[in-house]
Amino acid sequence: MKNKLKLLRVERNWTQEQLGQALGVSRQAVNALETEKHDPSLDLAYRIAALFERPVEDIFENPHA
């Protein structure tokens, strides 16, 4: 799923490790999301949105739109 996760992370000068710690996931999980190898669970998508204080739709592109 296309997303803006890397852009948002870089804007805050966070490493993948730091973002992973904030979300309770591994650095490898963050990398897989950023490179669109894996889609987030609904729970993780909402945690990411809350962390960046943005709606889910601002971060993740709806593949069915």
Side-chain angles (χ1 to χ4, degrees):
M1 175 182 306
K2 292 187 183 273
N3 65 72
K4 299 176 184 172
L5 190 55
K6 183 175 181 178
L7 175 66
L8 294 170
R9 176 180 62 79
V10 170
E11 284 178 354
R12 294 195 179 194
N13 294 315
W14 290 348
T15 64
Q16 287 182 340
E17 182 72 29
Q18 289 170 319
L19 178 55
Q21 287 177 354
L23 295 170
V25 301
S26 68
R27 180 201 61 78
Q28 291 87 349
V30 171
N31 181 268
L33 292 170
E34 287 185 354
T35 58
E36 301 171 10
K37 291 180 181 172
H38 293 287
D39 293 337
S41 66
L42 187 57
D43 177 65
L44 181 55
Y46 278 109
R47 286 187 297 172
I48 291 167
L51 180 65
F52 288 106
E53 300 176 329
R54 292 175 179 240
V56 170
E57 297 83 10
D58 278 1
I59 301 171
F60 299 98
E61 184 177 300
N62 181 350
H64 305 291

